[in-house]
Amino acid sequence: MSPPQLAPLHQDLRPGWPEIIAAGITYAVMYRFGPPLAENAAGDSGVIQGLALAALSGVMGLLAFFAAFAVRLRSWSAFGVKAAPRRWMFIAVGCGLAAIVLTETVSLIVVQLVGTGAGDVQGVYRSAASAGPLALTLQLIFIAVLTPVGEELAFRAVLTNALSRYGHWVSGIVSTLVFAVVHLDLVGTPKLNLVLIPALIVGGINAFLFLKTKSVWPGIIVHAINNGLITLLSLAG
């Protein structure tokens, strides 16, 4: 029996356009039909709607990633699902805290300049978080664990990773802008809202971290810290 054929050392195993297309179609379908279904299923309950939408944001990312992964069934490491150097994990914690400060500062400036007309579509998330210990626990699991994992796998492991063959600037800017755009109002007609600010900040930081470390884990840490602290801070607002 002949030995297994090894891939040439020069072969680029990063995802490419087939993976981007597969992930994009899957995410677009979920983006179009998922939120209205979650809203209708929740009825008049803002708590259930907030929990459902928080869970959905993570599920959308996971389904998009696995659709991309299934295209050519490459190794996990080709998508950046691998350990990062320890020092970058500590750097990620600092970046997560810095993202919160920067988001709050920029949001305050924007509100002062243009008022609250931009809106904040995450009021249902606050409703869920403030509905008692069980609802808060579930909301933190969905928004600070499931969502960071799903979105980082979709947007960094697939999109940022695939676009990196065109250069880090192209990859970082394009993937960050796409990540921000999908954070429009998911229910009804998409429109501008204050959520674009943390999406741009976190998206930019995490694109940089992924391109620097080739691992999704630093970005997941930043994303988890950002989402978790924003949820907890909203309770004091």
Side-chain angles (χ1 to χ4, degrees):
M1 184 173 63
S2 60
Q5 296 296 312
L6 299 178
L9 293 177
H10 66 273
Q11 183 173 343
D12 189 348
L13 296 179
R14 288 174 295 182
W17 281 106
E19 285 81 7
I20 290 177
I21 292 170
I25 291 174
T26 303
Y27 199 91
V29 171
M30 292 294 296
Y31 186 99
R32 173 64 181 85
F33 297 105
L37 288 174
E39 184 184 44
N40 292 334
D44 296 329
S45 174
V47 174
I48 296 177
Q49 184 180 341
L51 291 172
L53 290 175
L56 181 64
S57 63
V59 171
M60 288 166 60
L62 286 173
L63 290 177
F65 170 75
F66 283 115
F69 189 86
V71 170
R72 287 184 276 194
L73 292 176
R74 293 175 173 177
S75 67
W76 290 96
S77 62
F79 286 86
V81 185
K82 58 184 180 180
R86 183 175 300 178
R87 71 185 184 93
W88 281 101
M89 302 299 277
F90 287 109
I91 290 173
V93 173
C95 286
L97 297 174
I100 287 288
V101 175
L102 189 55
T103 292
E104 293 298 313
T105 302
V106 174
S107 297
L108 181 61
I109 293 172
V110 169
V111 169
Q112 291 296 319
L113 291 176
V114 303
T116 57
D120 181 0
V121 299
Q122 295 194 330
V124 290
Y125 291 168
R126 286 192 294 274
S127 296
S130 60
L134 177 59
L136 175 59
T137 300
L138 290 174
Q139 185 70 349
L140 287 173
I141 291 172
F142 293 151
I143 206 71
V145 179
L146 181 61
T147 293
V149 170
E151 291 189 338
E152 291 307 310
L153 287 175
F155 291 96
R156 255 58 71 177
V158 177
L159 186 59
T160 304
N161 195 3
L163 292 178
S164 65
R165 56 177 35 86
Y166 302 109
H168 285 188
W169 280 104
V170 171
S171 174
I173 292 172
V174 173
S175 63
T176 297
L177 291 176
V178 172
F179 182 65
V181 167
V182 302
H183 281 78
L184 297 171
D185 189 346
L186 293 181
V187 179
T189 303
K191 50 184 176 290
L192 294 175
N193 59 79
L194 291 174
V195 182
L196 291 176
I197 296 171
L200 282 169
I201 292 171
V202 171
I205 290 172
N206 288 356
F208 167 79
L209 289 173
F210 182 86
L211 293 168
K212 196 70 177 178
T213 67
K214 302 300 187 292
S215 170
V216 296
W217 293 112
I220 288 174
I221 289 176
V222 172
H223 209 143
I225 291 173
N226 181 81
N227 287 12
L229 287 181
I230 283 179
T231 298
L232 294 175
L233 288 172
S234 71
L235 299 179

